[in-house]
Amino acid sequence: MDMDYKKVYEEWLTNPFFDEATRQELAAIKDDEREIKERFYMDLEFGTAGLRGIIGAGTNRMNNYIVAKATQGLANYIKQRKKQAKGVAIAYDSRHCSPEFADVAALCLAANGIKAYVFESLRPTPELSYAVRELKCVAGINITASHNPPEYNGYKVYWEDGAQVTSPKDVMIIDEVKAIKDYNVVKTMDKIEAVKAGLYNVIGSDLDDRYIAALKKQIINADVIKEMGDDLVAVYTP
């Protein structure tokens, strides 16, 4: 694909399908051969359970178009299994573009007739696993890049058991994503319309409360907490 990257770059630069901000970002690197190649020499790899990459315009970057394409592939896989009625839960973290990517994924699912349940704000990963099972969803999406540096974001897929997708499902989903050669086949819809149609649903405190109640059931020795709680020291890192 070595010289093809220039063709793909030109396509993104000139095609009105891509938004103005994307085309401006790419116009700014027109004289930087190395940067053009780095952004377009490959498609961002949909690896084990999902995507991870630097945020920016290009096929080898994390952006709305790549997130939408991945979601269309996931939607195609769900529809083939005739499980679209079950819906998909979506969580996200505090990284750059996380809420935006969550919405892009939700509106792609909605346009495919798959109900999206989106958390109202950032949530911990275990709560997504809980939501998938509690809401009886077919899948979950988590917008996060775990331990990567701040310029990264990512997209992880979970299945109906609340765990990240494993073999052979991961490969089948990857194949569906790779099969999309034209961004025009990637569906989306207006958010207001999706809400009206019951395909975009916000989840929040009601599910949080159920999650905390479920966590409390896991406490092994409540008496120790009562006795020693005031002396416990917690270290928190985001």
Side-chain angles (χ1 to χ4, degrees):
M1 179 174 173
D2 221 33
M3 279 317 285
D4 283 359
Y5 71 84
K6 280 196 161 164
K7 276 190 206 153
V8 186
Y9 168 69
E10 288 297 331
E11 170 73 6
W12 277 58
L13 190 60
T14 55
N15 190 334
F17 175 80
F18 299 101
D19 65 72
E20 188 58 33
T22 295
R23 287 183 285 148
Q24 279 179 2
E25 183 183 328
L26 294 173
I29 62 162
K30 69 180 191 314
D31 300 321
D32 189 342
E33 187 65 28
R34 194 168 155 274
E35 184 66 12
I36 293 169
K37 185 172 183 180
E38 165 58 25
R39 285 175 182 241
F40 287 96
Y41 82 98
M42 64 178 276
D43 287 348
L44 194 63
E45 281 286 298
F46 196 102
T48 315
L51 299 160
R52 191 175 295 164
I54 294 167
I55 298 163
T59 57
N60 190 31
R61 290 286 183 271
M62 274 295 291
N63 54 65
N64 289 349
Y65 302 104
I66 299 304
V67 167
K69 183 181 162 186
T71 309
Q72 185 62 53
L74 175 63
N76 291 347
Y77 179 77
I78 289 168
K79 288 193 286 190
Q80 281 168 11
R81 305 273 158 320
K82 308 228 176 329
K83 292 195 170 187
Q84 58 268 44
K86 296 187 77 179
V88 174
I90 303 174
Y92 57 90
D93 66 11
S94 59
R95 286 176 173 272
H96 298 303
C97 303
S98 284
E100 292 85 348
F101 290 161
D103 263 10
V104 166
L107 295 172
C108 177
L109 290 167
N112 281 279
I114 300 168
K115 216 180 249 196
Y117 298 94
V118 188
F119 277 104
E120 62 189 354
S121 59
L122 68 165
R123 291 294 188 279
T125 297
E127 190 168 354
L128 172 68
S129 292
Y130 175 80
V132 168
R133 286 171 294 167
E134 182 70 6
L135 300 171
K136 299 187 169 42
C137 293
V138 61
I141 297 168
N142 198 12
I143 307 294
T144 177
S146 309
H147 55 276
N148 283 71
E151 63 272 20
Y152 282 75
N153 211 332
Y155 176 108
K156 290 181 182 172
V157 178
Y158 291 69
W159 203 242
E160 53 198 333
D161 57 357
Q164 283 188 26
V165 285
T166 52
S167 183
K169 284 186 198 76
D170 56 349
V171 178
M172 291 173 178
I173 295 167
I174 290 163
D175 287 345
E176 288 300 330
V177 177
K178 282 182 177 167
I180 298 166
K181 303 295 182 201
D182 179 0
Y183 284 93
N184 287 303
V185 305
V186 177
K187 296 178 183 175
T188 188
M189 72 187 291
D190 179 73
K191 189 169 177 177
I192 293 164
E193 293 302 314
V195 171
K196 241 189 257 175
L199 292 165
Y200 184 108
N201 303 272
V202 177
I203 46 178
S205 57
D206 174 48
L207 199 86
D208 295 337
D209 293 344
R210 277 139 70 191
Y211 173 63
I212 296 297
L215 280 186
K216 283 180 176 171
K217 287 180 188 160
Q218 306 303 315
I219 294 170
I220 293 163
N221 192 335
D223 292 342
V224 170
I225 295 171
K226 276 183 194 145
E227 261 176 66
M228 308 299 293
D230 292 344
D231 301 323
L232 289 175
V233 178
V235 176
Y236 168 71
T237 166

